[in-house]
Amino acid sequence: MGISARDFIEREMAGRWIAGPSLKDAIERARQIESKRMEPMINYLGEAFGSNDRKKVGEAVRTYEELISLMAKNRIKGSIAVKPTQLGLLISYGLLERNYSEIVKEAEKRGIFVWLDMEESKYVDDTIKLYKTHVKSRTTGICIQSYLKRSENDIKALSGYNAVVRLVKGAYKPEPETGFTSRAEVTENYARLMRMLFETYKKFTIATHDTGMITEAMKLEKRYKKDVSFAMLNGIRNGYAESLASKGYNIFIYLPFGREWVSYAYRRLREASNFLLLVRSILSQNA
Ligand SMILES: Cc1cc2nc3c(=O)[nH]c(=O)nc-3n(C[C@H](O)[C@H](O)[C@H](O)COP(=O)(O)OP(=O)(O)OC[C@H]3O[C@@H](n4cnc5c(N)ncnc54)[C@H](O)[C@@H]3O)c2cc1C
């Protein structure tokens, strides 16, 4: 029996960046991650494009609820990561708020942490506003991007809320007025924001594959002794993540699943700094 081009590409992506198209794939891969002493951070793929369709939004909410229940049933210790546009932001903030609350409530009952992913800069205000209304539960965290000039102020403001932050460089295209456009500036700002987290936060996650930033975080950790964890994307530097986990560091692996993989794959392709690196990460999983 022949397979379609879509099935072929999905199968090739599965096992590399994405767990696979189904919930079953996500749970299976999550188990493998756990067996290597790391924690999965599971994301159901789907964002901006098509998210002004109420049916799709409803389907995303139901999938997350099913995921939470399956994680609990399979005793998977980990978190889920949701995108505001996927939960209805493009329809209305109110709808997003209701959906997010429902998911957080369900997750809280099962002891599962919920991360709010950060998307394009035009959605940052709403995402932060949403987070502030839920931060008290202590079972949610928010992603902050070092490519945005505003992030320094956001980190300052959120520290007053006892927030849990996951720091990333940012996967979206910067605009010169609001963002840093060179890689060097983005990394420099990452280092600055990371120091702020060590100085003023209790609990946070350093989400990067950049060895320089990870080494610097380890030095700061020795000095500040904070509740710090590291996070990487599934399929990028897996070997490095596993070696850190074996040394006793808390490692989270961002694990996407689902059929809407195009935007996600596009961002990862853009980030691979050279083709050889990309091929290495695809073939060996150990780059
Ligand atoms: C757990 C997690 C959650 C994230 N959540 C968000 C989010 O909510 N919002 C958001 O905007 N971004 C998010 N990102 C993506 C992030 O913003 C960056 O786009 C991505 O992590 C690449 O940046 P870097 O920090 O690894 O640094 P880079 O400087 O891009 O990369 C450092 C090194 O990592 C390796 N590497 C990086 N990417 C690749 C690749 N595609 N293929 C092969 N090697 C690679 C290379 O060795 C490279 O030199 C997340 C990242 C992680 C790890």
Side-chain angles (χ1 to χ4, degrees):
M1 193 174 66
I3 60 167
S4 69
R6 185 184 175 109
D7 287 343
F8 175 77
I9 296 169
E10 258 175 10
R11 205 182 57 191
E12 291 307 297
M13 302 289 267
R16 277 140 197 167
W17 293 338
I18 293 161
S22 70
L23 272 162
K24 189 169 160 273
D25 297 318
I27 297 295
E28 261 173 40
R29 187 66 74 82
R31 279 222 186 89
Q32 288 167 15
I33 289 171
E34 277 204 318
S35 72
K36 292 176 175 159
R37 287 187 276 176
M38 304 185 288
E39 273 188 27
M41 188 187 275
I42 309 180
N43 165 255
Y44 176 50
L45 292 162
E47 53 199 271
F49 179 73
S51 301
N52 51 4
D53 175 342
R54 275 181 191 272
K55 255 204 206 147
K56 275 200 166 187
V57 171
E59 190 256 339
V61 176
R62 281 191 303 280
T63 304
Y64 275 117
E65 287 175 347
E66 218 179 310
L67 172 63
I68 291 166
S69 137
L70 281 174
M71 284 171 79
K73 202 167 140 203
N74 288 278
R75 297 206 168 81
I76 289 173
K77 195 169 162 264
S79 55
I80 60 168
V82 302
K83 286 193 166 34
T85 61
Q86 178 181 37
L87 300 185
L89 178 58
L90 299 189
I91 298 168
S92 75
Y93 178 82
L95 179 65
L96 165 66
E97 221 276 320
R98 284 195 296 284
N99 287 337
Y100 183 66
S101 299
E102 201 175 305
I103 289 173
V104 169
K105 215 163 79 196
E106 272 310 301
E108 208 172 4
K109 276 195 247 163
R110 320 281 184 131
I112 291 169
F113 194 87
V114 183
W115 286 103
L116 253 182
D117 283 1
M118 193 60 85
E119 300 173 79
E120 285 165 77
S121 57
K122 61 185 172 204
Y123 305 127
V124 176
D125 277 334
D126 281 335
T127 308
I128 290 183
K129 179 172 149 195
L130 179 68
Y131 182 64
K132 283 179 179 168
T133 61
H134 289 79
V135 65
K136 265 209 255 110
S137 78
R138 306 296 298 141
T139 55
T140 62
I142 188 169
C143 176
I144 296 287
Q145 303 152 318
S146 76
Y147 87 105
L148 289 182
K149 293 177 183 168
R150 60 174 287 168
S151 292
E152 184 169 344
N153 283 335
D154 289 334
I155 286 189
K156 272 185 200 151
L158 283 167
S159 77
Y161 288 79
N162 213 4
V164 180
V165 161
R166 179 180 86 214
L167 185 62
V168 303
K169 288 189 184 173
Y172 301 88
K173 201 169 178 290
E175 282 146 28
E177 315 81 61
T178 54
F180 297 107
T181 50
S182 81
R183 234 179 154 91
E185 283 176 309
V186 174
T187 304
E188 203 178 295
N189 198 39
Y190 193 98
R192 186 180 310 127
L193 301 180
M194 190 165 77
R195 273 194 302 278
M196 284 173 64
L197 291 176
F198 275 100
E199 282 161 7
T200 57
Y201 278 59
K202 288 193 189 112
K203 181 176 172 177
F204 50 90
T205 299
I206 299 301
T208 181
H209 315 92
D210 184 331
T211 321
M213 290 302 104
I214 294 172
T215 311
E216 180 60 21
M218 286 170 176
K219 280 190 204 147
L220 290 165
E221 205 238 325
K222 286 206 175 91
R223 181 166 158 209
Y224 289 98
K225 310 229 176 314
K226 295 291 174 80
D227 184 353
V228 59
S229 44
F230 296 90
M232 296 188 205
L233 303 174
N234 182 57
I236 298 177
R237 310 205 73 185
N238 280 3
Y240 183 38
E242 286 168 26
S243 78
L244 294 180
S246 70
K247 286 179 189 142
Y249 290 101
N250 294 328
I251 305 292
F252 303 151
I253 299 293
Y254 189 96
L255 179 65
F257 77 98
R259 305 208 84 169
E260 303 282 335
W261 46 264
V262 176
S263 314
Y264 183 83
Y266 174 71
R267 287 198 292 277
R268 301 292 81 82
L269 284 169
R270 240 181 13 152
E271 278 159 12
S273 46
N274 65 53
F275 185 68
L276 205 63
L277 196 68
L278 175 69
V279 173
R280 216 173 67 199
S281 94
I282 287 179
L283 293 181
S284 75
Q285 297 248 320
N286 284 317

